[in-house]
Amino acid sequence: MELALQLAARGQGRVEPNPMVGCVVARGAEVVGLGWHRRFGGPHAEVEALRTAGPLARGATLYVTLEPCCHQGKTPPCTKAILQAGVRRVVAAMEDPFPQVGGRGLQQLRQAGLEVHCGLLQHEARRLLAPYLKRLQTGRPWVIAKWASTWDGKLATHQGHSRWISNEASRRVVHRLRGRVDAILVGSGTVRADDPQLTVRPPGPRTPVRVVLDSQGLTPPEAQVVRTAREVPTLIATSGQAPPELRRRWEQAGCEVLPLSGRDHSERWHQLMLELGRRGMTNVLVEGGPRLLGHLLAAGEVDEVHVFLAPKLLGGQAPSPQSSLLPGADTIHHALQLEEPQVQLLQGDVYLQARVKRAAERPEPD
């Protein structure tokens, strides 16, 4: 099952909104078939593994990271392929909460006389599939917050200069991260201050939609994200405060303008996330600026953080999502807690990534 989970992860950025799935066919300790879901619309992991196993699949055990599907979608049911291959035993890490599956795949296999087990390495499988599971449960995508800062937590100088805080090695990692998400989201302040392209260089498995959150209509038509909207999909999420003439200029440049009717930032954010989820987006990367990042962190809207710490010190009143916008915690217990941290050194920069631990998951202090 550990091998199946490693195989599943290879589909990251290529299979969404489908789940990443890996599969291993084994006869005792001997692995006879390997497979993973390689691309959206392509063969599922079970079909790939059974194909490589060939006749050796008969009487074997199939290990799969997610319950086999039992319905006709873009591909035939995996349960049918498993039964036709003559597999004797199926071990799944977890049930698939997708409404058309929901335990029925495993039930079909049991009714056909196969030995079926579920729950092996379930925690690891749920962690891998957290973005997929969130979209199924809430209708909203997984939110990844990314920023580069100095060691004293500054995202820019007090005059707003920020290019470049991180080094080239860190920026290459950022582009790989961009290349596996469905959307890159920034506030209008970042567009005005930095005029970013928000593209993936070199191209990755996905071409993310560039989303600008602009309630007041402050994104200039001359911005790169507007001027290149016919080359890279660009969506400007705004409110009734944006001048109609400016909205027309955005649309004439090729941008999609999405009006949000929420009364405040929180309501408009919620509407935007539901709309992106409705469009099948699984992962959204928020790149700034500090006000937007701070607001989302404080509101508990972030699921995962990626931080690049450059060995520099700026000092002063420079912007920082951690200090200037997050409300101060009264106790250590009330701090925003991160879990499963990973640390990597990138030619001097420190790359940190972790997931946000929800308040309901935190034990009460003694």
Side-chain angles (χ1 to χ4, degrees), residues 234-238 246-248 250-251 255-259:
T234 304
L235 184 152
I236 300 181
T238 187
L246 181 58
R247 292 172 58 173
R248 282 193 294 271
W250 289 339
E251 290 173 337
C255 299
E256 178 186 357
V257 178
L258 177 67

Side-chain angles (χ1 to χ4, degrees), residues 257-330:
V257 178
L258 177 67
L260 302 174
S261 59
R263 293 169 296 180
D264 54 31
H265 289 304
S266 295
E267 287 190 8
R268 288 192 289 270
W269 172 263
H270 188 69
Q271 289 176 357
L272 175 61
M273 290 299 102
L274 286 176
E275 175 59 23
L276 297 185
R278 187 189 67 79
R279 298 183 183 200
M281 296 190 184
T282 304
N283 294 282
V284 171
L285 176 64
V286 181
E287 293 209 15
R291 291 188 63 83
L292 177 60
L293 287 166
H295 170 76
L296 297 180
L297 288 166
E301 296 289 348
V302 174
D303 299 297
E304 184 177 332
V305 297
H306 291 245
V307 184
F308 299 84
L309 296 178
K312 303 177 176 78
L313 300 173
L314 282 176
Q317 300 300 314
S320 159
Q322 305 98 313
S323 61
S324 62
L325 295 169
L326 271 175
D330 295 328

Side-chain angles (χ1 to χ4, degrees), residues 89-170:
R89 178 170 172 257
V90 171
V91 181
M94 61 176 288
E95 288 189 4
D96 187 351
F98 188 70
Q100 291 177 276
V101 185
R104 288 187 287 274
L106 297 177
Q107 184 181 8
Q108 279 188 15
L109 297 174
R110 288 192 181 99
Q111 290 174 343
L114 273 68
E115 182 182 344
V116 176
H117 301 273
C118 185
L120 179 63
L121 297 185
Q122 181 173 193
H123 172 77
E124 291 80 356
R126 293 189 69 86
R127 185 188 186 285
L128 179 69
L129 292 177
Y132 167 76
L133 297 174
K134 179 185 177 183
R135 198 176 75 84
L136 276 185
Q137 294 162 1
T138 69
R140 305 169 71 185
W142 185 261
V143 178
I144 305 168
K146 165 262 164 184
W147 66 87
S149 76
T150 59
W151 279 16
D152 56 344
K154 307 302 181 182
L155 276 68
T157 69
H158 68 280
Q159 294 182 338
H161 185 259
S162 63
R163 190 169 294 182
W164 296 101
I165 284 180
S166 58
N167 62 28
E168 290 186 9
S170 292

Side-chain angles (χ1 to χ4, degrees), residues 295-360:
H295 170 76
L296 297 180
L297 288 166
E301 296 289 348
V302 174
D303 299 297
E304 184 177 332
V305 297
H306 291 245
V307 184
F308 299 84
L309 296 178
K312 303 177 176 78
L313 300 173
L314 282 176
Q317 300 300 314
S320 159
Q322 305 98 313
S323 61
S324 62
L325 295 169
L326 271 175
D330 295 328
T331 68
I332 296 298
H333 176 70
H334 292 99
L336 185 67
Q337 296 184 30
L338 306 177
E339 61 182 355
E340 302 177 7
Q342 299 178 49
V343 183
Q344 185 178 353
L345 196 62
L346 299 173
Q347 297 179 9
D349 285 359
V350 180
Y351 173 32
L352 309 171
Q353 54 179 306
R355 294 190 173 182
V356 176
K357 190 171 187 179
R358 298 302 170 199

Side-chain angles (χ1 to χ4, degrees), residues 205-223:
R206 304 186 89 77
T207 300
V209 176
R210 303 178 298 190
V211 180
V212 180
L213 195 56
D214 184 356
S215 60
Q216 298 181 11
L218 300 176
T219 300
E222 300 77 22

Side-chain angles (χ1 to χ4, degrees), residues 18-19 21 36-48 68-81 98 100-101:
N18 282 355
V21 182
W36 67 93
H37 191 23
R38 296 171 183 263
R39 61 178 179 82
F40 179 73
H44 287 190
E46 299 94 320
V47 173
E48 288 271 325
C69 67
C70 54
H71 65 289
Q72 176 70 45
K74 290 185 177 294
T75 59
C78 289
T79 50
K80 181 179 180 180
F98 188 70
Q100 291 177 276
V101 185

